[in-house]
């Protein structure tokens, strides 16, 4: 007898799912394990680096290979959808105003809770609203809050610009005649 537990993939495309077979008992004390219905067997009940899919998990007595047990014929390892969001920027209204903004909205994918950054991961926040920005190029990213290693670069270099400084030249003409 044995127990099989699966750990879902942390990030879309990561292929880091895990199946662990524990609480093994019975037979003659030496076991082999498979997650593909018996095509290949392993001396370890720890399977890592798994992609999404359905796995046929079995155990057999190494001393008597014909003695096997199907622990779970359809253990599912899930993969979250890819992270994505909408990014909208607002340029600065007047030279030196520092009123630029970046808004990250409609986040999807991952496990449903998100964090955002506009400085390439230097600091993260749960809100996708960044205001009071000066001119510059911003590295806009999001990550899955449940799995912080799952990061998506939304825009690698988003320019927030400001208009040129207002400038004018004043000219004048003298009054040509007294009282004119």
């Amino acid at each position: 007898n044995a127990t099989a537990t699966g750990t879902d993939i942390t990030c879309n495309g990561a292929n880091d799912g895990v199946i662990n077979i524990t609480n093994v008992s019975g037979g003659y004390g030496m076991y082999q394990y498979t997650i593909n219905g018996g095509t290949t067997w392993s001396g370890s009940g720890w399977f890592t680096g798994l992609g999404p899919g359905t796995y046929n998990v079995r155990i057999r007595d190494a001393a008597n290979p014909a003695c096997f047990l199907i622990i779970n014929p359809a253990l599912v390892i899930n993969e979250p959808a890819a992270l994505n969001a909408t990014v909208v920027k607002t340029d600065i209204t007047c030279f030196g105003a520092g009123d630029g903004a970046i808004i990250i909205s409609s986040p999807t994918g991952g496990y449903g809770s998100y964090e955002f950054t506009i400085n390439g991961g230097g600091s993260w926040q749960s809100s996708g609203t960044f205001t009071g920005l000066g001119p510059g190029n911003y590295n806009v990213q999001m990550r899955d809050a449940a799995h912080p290693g799952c990061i998506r670069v939304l825009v690698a270099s988003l320019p927030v610009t400001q208009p040129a400084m207002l400038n004018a030249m004043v000219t004048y003409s003298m009054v040509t005649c007294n009282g004119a």
Side-chain angles (χ1 to χ4, degrees):
N1 199 4
T3 303
T5 55
T7 303
D8 287 336
I9 297 167
T10 59
C11 189
N12 186 276
N15 290 335
D16 61 356
V18 175
I19 292 177
N20 190 17
I21 303 169
T22 58
N23 302 321
V24 180
S25 64
Y28 288 97
M30 297 284 295
Y31 309 102
Q32 292 179 323
Y33 312 89
T34 183
I35 59 171
N36 58 19
T39 303
T40 57
W41 294 87
S42 170
S44 170
W46 181 256
F47 297 89
T48 61
L50 303 178
T54 302
Y55 294 87
N56 183 324
V57 184
R58 300 176 182 201
I59 183 175
R60 75 179 178 188
D61 188 330
N64 185 4
C67 182
F68 71 91
L69 172 70
I70 299 172
I71 301 169
N72 188 332
L75 180 65
V76 176
I77 299 294
N78 295 301
E79 175 179 52
L83 295 173
N84 202 9
T86 301
V87 177
V88 176
K89 69 153 180 167
T90 302
D91 287 325
I92 299 165
T93 57
C94 287
F95 184 85
D99 62 354
I102 295 174
I103 308 296
I104 306 166
S105 62
S106 305
T108 60
Y111 287 94
S113 59
Y114 310 100
E115 293 178 322
F116 309 94
T117 183
I118 60 169
N119 61 9
S123 60
W124 295 89
Q125 66 182 43
S126 59
S127 168
T129 301
F130 298 87
T131 58
L133 302 178
N137 291 313
Y138 293 88
N139 184 329
V140 183
Q141 301 180 15
M142 68 181 292
R143 71 180 179 187
D144 187 330
H147 298 279
C150 184
I151 297 171
R152 167 94 190 261
V153 176
L154 298 169
V155 183
S157 184
L158 181 63
V160 172
T161 61
Q162 69 181 349
M165 182 185 309
L166 292 176
N167 192 6
M169 181 186 285
V170 177
T171 61
Y172 62 93
S173 298
M174 299 295 275
V175 177
T176 57
C177 244
N178 187 1

